[in-house]
Amino acid sequence: MKIAIASGKGGTGKTTLATNLASYLAETGPVILVDLDVEEPNSGLFIHGRELAAETRYSLVPEWDADRCSFCGLCQTICNFNAIVDLGDRIMLFPELCHSCHACSELCPDEALPMKSRRIGRLRYIQAERLDFVESRLDIGQEQAVPLINQTLDFVGGRFRNGTLQLLDSPPGTACPAIAATRTADHVILVTEPTPFGLHDLKLAVATMQALDQPFSVVINRGGQTDNMIADYCKQQAIPVLAGFANDRRVAELYSRGRLIYDQLPEFKQQLAKIATFVTSQEGIKA
């Protein structure tokens, strides 16, 4: 079972929920926490354990072989991402735009664009006291997060047995990285905050999940007197609200120290238990 924890905007509390929920659920069964926010992973600030694997990750991009090229221009024509430009006397490549689709390399009649490995980031696998944790970090200057996200999901799928609960700490927003992290999930939990900005971006995230035909629910974080703006919207759209966490300074203080919250604040744990009950219920996931 894969549960993606996502949001329409950054700073809503995805990582707070993901790390605390993973640790809470790990008290009663096997859990894998996967940090897919590869551009700025920070779940590892709260999960500590023994590093079992650290791997450099690569993507494949074309490399121009001038001696073979006849300048037919086919590569430029078939590239949907404008990563190749035929200048007449040379081929200019833009690796940052390449999506590693292999089309230019496979269809080049001169075999002048062989695919070569290009480093994109690092992956780490850590075994904590009660759970497994995997994170990937994109190298500085890399433009494409999706290849590293896909490789991280492949690593988790190949390493862990079926039946183990996976919690995916997803990138914020509704762009390609967020879609890559949530499209294979069994359920998506959207974390939002009761502000006009939070509601606006929640609507974008909801529209994205509907377009992907993904089942989803909502968790309200940093709640208070303005909770109704989220609750009313979810009621109108028939979106289940799993829980609501109060805007509590103590939470911010614990978070700033890199500490988990559920074992320190009973009120937080009570709301977390509601989400855990939903996650571990097969009927809840199917709904």
Side-chain angles (χ1 to χ4, degrees):
M1 189 187 305
K2 295 181 183 178
I3 307 297
I5 300 175
S7 65
K9 64 181 286 292
T12 59
K14 284 187 303 81
T15 297
T16 301
L17 178 59
T19 52
N20 281 272
L21 183 60
S23 299
Y24 179 78
L25 289 169
E27 293 180 352
T28 56
V31 177
I32 306 163
L33 174 61
V34 188
D35 195 339
L36 296 176
D37 189 4
V38 299
E39 294 178 85
E40 191 61 40
N42 55 14
S43 292
L45 297 174
F46 306 90
I47 306 298
H48 307 287
R50 183 165 57 99
E51 185 176 273
L52 299 183
E55 303 175 1
T56 301
R57 289 286 163 163
Y58 301 87
S59 65
L60 294 174
V61 297
E63 183 177 273
W64 180 48
D65 187 340
D67 294 333
R68 291 187 174 187
C69 183
S70 62
F71 300 99
C72 67
L74 180 62
C75 56
Q76 175 178 280
T77 302
I78 63 177
C79 182
N80 288 328
F81 307 103
N82 300 312
I84 303 177
V85 178
D86 183 355
L87 298 177
D89 60 347
R90 61 191 176 98
I91 300 295
M92 183 174 289
L93 302 174
F94 298 91
E96 295 81 6
L97 300 178
C98 178
H99 283 55
S100 302
C101 71
H102 290 244
C104 62
S105 181
E106 295 292 334
L107 298 177
C108 177
D110 306 314
E111 299 183 350
L113 290 168
M115 302 297 286
K116 300 292 184 180
S117 295
R118 179 171 182 258
R119 173 176 164 149
I120 56 174
R122 293 276 290 172
L123 178 149
R124 294 197 308 150
Y125 165 40
I126 293 171
Q127 193 170 60
E129 183 178 353
R130 292 190 299 265
L131 62 82
D132 292 293
F133 172 59
V134 177
E135 72 164 9
S136 288
R137 184 179 297 272
L138 197 68
D139 283 348
I140 294 174
Q142 291 297 319
E143 300 286 340
Q144 301 292 335
V146 172
L148 187 55
I149 291 173
N150 290 337
Q151 289 185 32
T152 306
L153 289 171
D154 289 342
F155 175 88
V156 172
R159 184 135 191 165
F160 299 96
R161 67 184 185 277
N162 292 333
T164 302
L165 176 63
Q166 298 180 24
L167 292 181
L168 312 178
D169 186 1
S170 307
T174 57
C176 294
I179 291 174
T182 58
R183 63 184 174 84
T184 62
D186 296 297
H187 190 86
V188 180
I189 297 176
L190 297 175
V191 185
T192 189
E193 58 190 18
T195 65
F197 195 7
L199 177 58
H200 175 273
D201 284 3
L202 174 63
K203 292 178 179 179
L204 296 178
V206 166
T208 302
M209 294 303 108
Q210 291 172 338
L212 294 174
D213 197 24
Q214 283 288 69
F216 63 93
S217 55
V218 166
V219 167
I220 303 174
N221 191 32
R222 289 195 291 272
Q225 296 180 353
T226 56
D227 279 9
N228 287 342
M229 72 169 62
I230 301 295
D232 291 346
Y233 167 75
C234 290
K235 184 177 180 180
Q236 293 168 5
Q237 301 296 319
I239 301 170
V241 177
L242 301 184
F245 297 96
N247 187 17
D248 191 331
R249 180 183 175 89
R250 295 174 298 171
V251 172
E253 291 174 350
L254 289 167
Y255 184 87
S256 68
R257 299 188 188 108
R259 297 177 61 183
L260 295 174
I261 298 161
Y262 78 96
D263 56 352
Q264 301 291 320
L265 301 180
E267 306 94 323
F268 189 97
K269 187 174 184 178
Q270 184 179 21
Q271 295 299 314
L272 196 67
K274 295 180 181 180
I275 305 171
T277 299
F278 177 84
V279 166
T280 55
S281 167
Q282 289 289 341
E283 292 182 1
I285 296 300
K286 292 178 181 178

